[in-house]
Amino acid sequence: RFSLLLLNLEEYYFEQHTANHIINKGCRDERKFRGSLKICSKSIIFEPDDNNEPIIKIPLRDCVSIKAPEDNEANNLFTRDTSGGISVVCNQAFLIKERNIIAPYKTVRGKTEHLFQLDVAGKLGDVVQTLHQLYRASCLDKMGDQAAMITAILQSRLARTSFDKNRFQSISETLHMECKAEMVTPLVTNPGHVCVTDANLYFQPLNGYPKPVVQITLQNVRRIYKRRHGLMPLGLEVFCTENDLCSDIYLKFYNYQDRDELYFLIATYIENHVTEHTAESYMLQWQRGHLSNYQYLLHLNNLADRSCNDLSQYPVFPWIIADYSSSVLDLTKPETFRDLSKPIGALNKERLDRLLTRYQEMPEPKFMYGSHYSSPGYVLFYLVRVAPEYMLCLQNGKFDHADRMFNSLAETWKNCLDGATDFKELIPEFYENDSSFLVNSLKLDLGKRQGGKMVEDVELPPWASGPDDFLQKSREALESQYVSEHLHEWIDIIFGYKQKGSEAVAAQNVFHPLTYEGGVDLNSIMDPNEKVALLTQILEFGQTPKQLFTIPHPQRIMPKLKSLSRTSSRSISITESPVSSNEESFEDLTEESITLAWNNIAKLKLDEQYKIHKEAITGIAVTCSGSSVLTTSQDSTLKMFSKESKTIQRSVSFSNMALSSCLILPGDTTVISSSWDNHIYFYSIAFGRQQDILMGHDDAVSKICWRDGRLYSASWDSTVKVWHCVPGEATSNKKHHFDLLAELEHDVSVNTIDLNAANTMLASGTKEGTISVWDVATATVAFFVAASFAFLFCTDSRHLLSAGEDCAFKVIDVQTGMLISSVTAAEPQRCFKWNGNTILSGSQSGELLIWDLLGGKVLERIKGHTGAVTSLWMNEQCTSIITGGEDKQIMFWKLQY
């Protein structure tokens, strides 16, 4: 029945002794109970073996005297039954769990003597000495002085003990590190010793509670996070699962060096087994539909220092549903949902106006909301029915007033909208499978409301048939299309760029300065009493999550369904053009076959190879029928190779300068080649002759693209030019007609370009490695990214993948310019294709590599060219691949599945 929750906040449990508790010694109504005596830093607790008897808690500050019998009395034959006895006289004691029922503590006032008779009389002196020390600490006037003295006693105990190496799982284990730490659970911490070996992480509590040793096998560790605990960078949390809410162990260290060393040891061990995920990598998985909204929020909470073991930093989830009165929940109506672009405090305009008036009149430091959206009190408000002992611990042995309990969903939501000081969000439990927190299954006496009604189960909205149905519908709402389209707006407020500074002011999202990370430097406060008071205030008030994003969070990529949009939201509505069912099914089949091809891309096999050029290959284009392959090279030639006859059908040289790229115009009649001689050449396949020359640049043309009658050319003259092109007629010698539509100026040479599928964005890469993303319609730069020599838009037009000299693949969100994922290779990757999840790349060494972008690892290495892979072509179905290399060869690859 004993738990650390019976202790006060910031109290330690030191030791226990088997003992008898004697009340009214020597009187007719003398009573004796067998049990366990617990020595704690601020109290004495006796737990009787008989479950019907109450646990007795005696605060040390309420003690009048603590003493043992005099030596001569202990040696007296007639008083031998008092040997090993400790007499405690107190003015107040608490009775807890009488008849083993969880209920508010009963207070017994008046002077009472309790006699505790230890089984091991030899320990009597040490126990009394410890109690005297702790009693002196509890009698100090100031909280800071009390804390300092108790900390000194604790550290002395830890220094006299060490980890018991007999607890190792194997005698062959090698010790890497041992230090002092505390195991953190909600509201309490438990001091002891941490030990790391080459196979396991161990924690041995000083008091042996709840078990002699906690052991984590390093091989099972999946995630590890550094934590801010009590505003200090001293925490470490270890997870052996990928998606669970709760961790396997949370440790708090006494200095950050120990914490960082342990983190390094475990991280070094697991880095070969597990990919460390960043907020950006999770964002990419979420955007592409690999993570649900629930999973993504869980990961963001973890990365932002939120933990189930720390109620002042408990994971925060949003209110989603705004309708608690209808009989049917309609998830197709935007009115069903809360506006996710605003914090809770800004949802009610009348209340917000009052708060803003007060804010304007307030002296610095200003804040709009006097309470937070997440705090220990709010967490336990929701969980009191399953965690009553936590509520009793937090509130000094009392439940909250019955009318202030979590009685009804509708009432709670209304209060969050209208209440003068109620701005709380939800907790993850509202979107999970366990509905027990909504039901008073423990039959707790939580009090009687004003109308005389007892507090029982939570009253659910009419649209929920029961607690499980309520959670099911809440989950459906969280994963609904409306929420998927707008969740990024809430993330901006809680974890993102609207959390702090001027953006927070504009978003009406300003809380008390002490709630923010870095809002106060505890190390700079010299007065221990001020420090303890401030820390207590912050922990009880609640803390804002660590800021994860400093620019707008990208929206989720939604399937082609009509979007739901509030007029107040600035989301992009994704609609699909009407298509016939036949067209739709054909598209679905094509999509399926492409997905199948990418899923089997690691089964790529070399089919044929030919050495057709005298220098490195620079470009590859293939006719629609697939029968002819056109290639350009640094040897200045354009060649047409027949796959059927395996011979070169054409070899053309326009000048003595290298050709840099080539493409075939629709209809397969004309090839365009770009050259280092500043020109772009049009060649008629049908008539076998040069058809036209575009002299549009002042330096080498490095790359060309063709889309919808427009030619895009990049050049070392620091420009990208957009041309409208009216094709000529080879039969009548009519030349092509070119109109310059736009000129995109750069500071240095442009090496490469790519367009998104919608032809609305153009990315250009310079020789210095900077990528500029341009709005094609306005010819203006949307943003810059430092990167690379190769990049490609994804088919979803939302992401850009780049590869550079730094050997890293980087995924950039083109709406916000945010770098959302980075994977490092062992060598530069010169060219690639990707589908958003998997990359096929050609490396500097000539290998083809298959990458799992979301997992951040190489799945397959395929031997290819003897020099760098310089060009890579893939057909629309993604089943046929052609590569060109520095070894002057072209290689034909096929998928074998």
Side-chain angles (χ1 to χ4, degrees), residues 571-699:
S571 77
I572 296 168
S573 176
I574 300 169
T575 55
E576 68 173 336
S577 55
V579 291
S580 72
S581 57
N582 289 342
E583 284 175 330
E584 200 164 29
S585 60
F586 177 74
E587 277 183 18
D588 289 347
L589 284 170
T590 307
E591 194 65 39
E592 256 179 53
S593 65
I594 290 171
T595 303
L596 182 66
W598 274 103
N599 287 344
N600 290 277
I601 200 80
K603 296 173 182 172
L604 209 57
K605 294 283 183 285
L606 180 61
D607 189 28
E608 299 168 296
Q609 63 190 92
Y610 303 96
K611 188 172 181 178
I612 60 172
H613 281 281
K614 293 176 181 174
E615 296 292 341
I617 312 288
T618 56
I620 302 171
V622 181
T623 56
C624 286
S625 63
S627 60
S628 297
V629 179
L630 290 110
T631 56
T632 50
S633 167
Q634 287 183 8
D635 66 8
S636 80
T637 62
L638 166 72
K639 302 206 175 190
M640 188 163 89
F641 181 82
S642 168
K643 278 191 73 178
E644 291 164 7
S645 64
K646 300 180 177 36
T647 57
I648 295 171
Q649 295 174 312
R650 304 276 164 82
S651 180
V652 187
S653 187
F654 302 111
S655 74
N656 60 357
M657 299 283 278
L659 297 179
S660 55
S661 66
C662 64
L663 56 86
I664 301 176
L665 292 188
D668 283 356
T669 58
T670 305
V671 184
I672 311 179
S673 298
S674 55
S675 172
W676 285 7
D677 68 3
N678 312 356
H679 301 340
I680 299 167
Y681 295 92
F682 289 71
Y683 178 80
S684 168
I685 297 174
F687 290 88
R689 67 178 184 222
Q690 181 181 307
Q691 205 175 338
D692 218 332
I693 305 175
L694 172 57
M695 293 180 281
H697 287 280
D698 300 323
D699 205 336

Side-chain angles (χ1 to χ4, degrees), residues 410-427:
E411 271 182 32
T412 303
W413 170 243
K414 185 177 184 304
N415 207 49
C416 287
L417 288 181
D418 303 337
T421 59
D422 194 347
F423 314 108
K424 59 180 170 283
E425 291 279 10
L426 295 183
I427 55 176

Side-chain angles (χ1 to χ4, degrees), residues 193-208:
H193 296 275
V194 168
C195 207
V196 186
T197 69
D198 54 351
N200 294 290
L201 166 66
Y202 297 97
F203 175 75
Q204 188 169 33
L206 192 62
N207 50 33

Side-chain angles (χ1 to χ4, degrees), residues 315-546:
V316 57
F317 269 59
W319 282 96
I320 292 294
I321 299 166
D323 177 4
Y324 294 94
S325 57
S326 302
S327 56
V328 176
L329 187 67
D330 187 349
L331 296 181
T332 64
K333 287 163 51 182
E335 308 84 69
T336 300
F337 300 93
R338 164 259 183 103
D339 185 348
L340 288 162
S341 68
K342 297 176 181 177
I344 288 289
L347 293 177
N348 179 335
K349 189 175 184 310
E350 284 181 28
R351 178 178 66 177
L352 179 64
D353 288 343
R354 291 195 300 272
L355 292 167
L356 289 177
T357 302
R358 189 191 69 173
Y359 174 73
Q360 302 299 341
E361 298 166 353
M362 192 181 288
E364 293 291 344
K366 295 183 173 191
F367 53 89
M368 293 174 189
Y369 308 114
S371 64
H372 207 256
Y373 50 78
S374 175
S375 70
Y378 289 161
V379 174
L380 296 176
F381 167 84
Y382 292 125
L383 296 180
V384 64
R385 289 168 177 81
V386 287
E389 291 177 87
Y390 291 88
M391 175 73 89
L392 293 172
C393 176
L394 186 69
Q395 301 202 151
N396 299 315
K398 300 183 185 71
F399 288 134
D400 206 348
H401 188 279
D403 286 301
R404 289 197 297 267
M405 284 283 190
F406 180 31
N407 291 304
S408 149
L409 259 305
E411 271 182 32
T412 303
W413 170 243
K414 185 177 184 304
N415 207 49
C416 287
L417 288 181
D418 303 337
T421 59
D422 194 347
F423 314 108
K424 59 180 170 283
E425 291 279 10
L426 295 183
I427 55 176
E429 282 78 358
F430 279 84
Y431 304 103
E432 293 180 345
N433 298 311
D434 185 358
S435 62
S436 58
F437 74 101
L438 299 168
V439 183
N440 187 12
S441 55
L442 295 174
K443 302 300 177 193
L444 300 166
D445 181 358
L446 296 172
K448 191 180 287 186
R449 303 188 67 185
Q450 279 184 348
K453 190 178 177 184
M454 296 298 293
V455 176
E456 290 294 343
D457 298 347
V458 177
E459 189 181 315
L460 302 172
W463 46 257
S465 61
D468 289 341
D469 185 54
F470 170 77
L471 290 194
Q472 173 66 30
K473 288 189 167 77
S474 296
R475 282 197 302 277
E476 288 170 9
L478 179 63
E479 303 302 335
S480 67
Q481 186 177 348
Y482 178 87
V483 174
S484 292
E485 288 176 357
H486 294 273
L487 189 58
H488 65 287
E489 297 173 328
W490 186 81
I491 292 169
D492 282 337
I493 291 167
I494 305 298
F495 303 105
Y497 81 111
K498 291 182 180 179
Q499 189 200 83
K500 295 178 183 176
S502 60
E503 293 288 354
V505 176
Q508 286 100 39
N509 191 38
V510 182
F511 293 86
H512 195 286
L514 290 180
T515 67
Y516 295 94
E517 184 178 26
V520 61
D521 180 8
L522 285 181
N523 289 324
S524 67
I525 300 171
M526 295 296 109
D527 183 345
N529 302 300
E530 185 187 342
K531 186 181 286 191
V532 167
L534 194 62
L535 185 58
T536 303
Q537 179 189 344
I538 292 166
L539 297 184
E540 288 180 4
F541 190 88
Q543 294 175 71
T544 301
K546 179 190 286 185

Side-chain angles (χ1 to χ4, degrees), residues 82-99:
T82 65
S83 64
I86 301 170
S87 167
V88 178
V89 179
C90 62
N91 289 322
Q92 181 173 261
F94 298 102
L95 305 183
I96 304 169
K97 289 188 182 176
E98 195 167 5
R99 297 191 306 282

Side-chain angles (χ1 to χ4, degrees), residues 855-867:
K857 61 190 175 190
V858 176
L859 299 174
E860 194 71 44
R861 293 175 178 274
I862 304 166
K863 280 200 159 83
H865 295 266
T866 52

Side-chain angles (χ1 to χ4, degrees), residues 225-228 233 259 300-306 313 373 491 494-496 499-500 515-517 543-549:
Y225 298 99
K226 290 181 179 179
R227 291 279 184 242
R228 179 177 47 130
R259 192 275 304 266
L300 290 185
N301 271 287
N302 258 321
L303 290 166
D305 273 346
R306 314 302 284 188
Q313 298 189 92
Y373 50 78
I491 292 169
I494 305 298
F495 303 105
Q499 189 200 83
K500 295 178 183 176
T515 67
Y516 295 94
E517 184 178 26
Q543 294 175 71
T544 301
K546 179 190 286 185
Q547 190 174 25
L548 299 178
F549 309 105

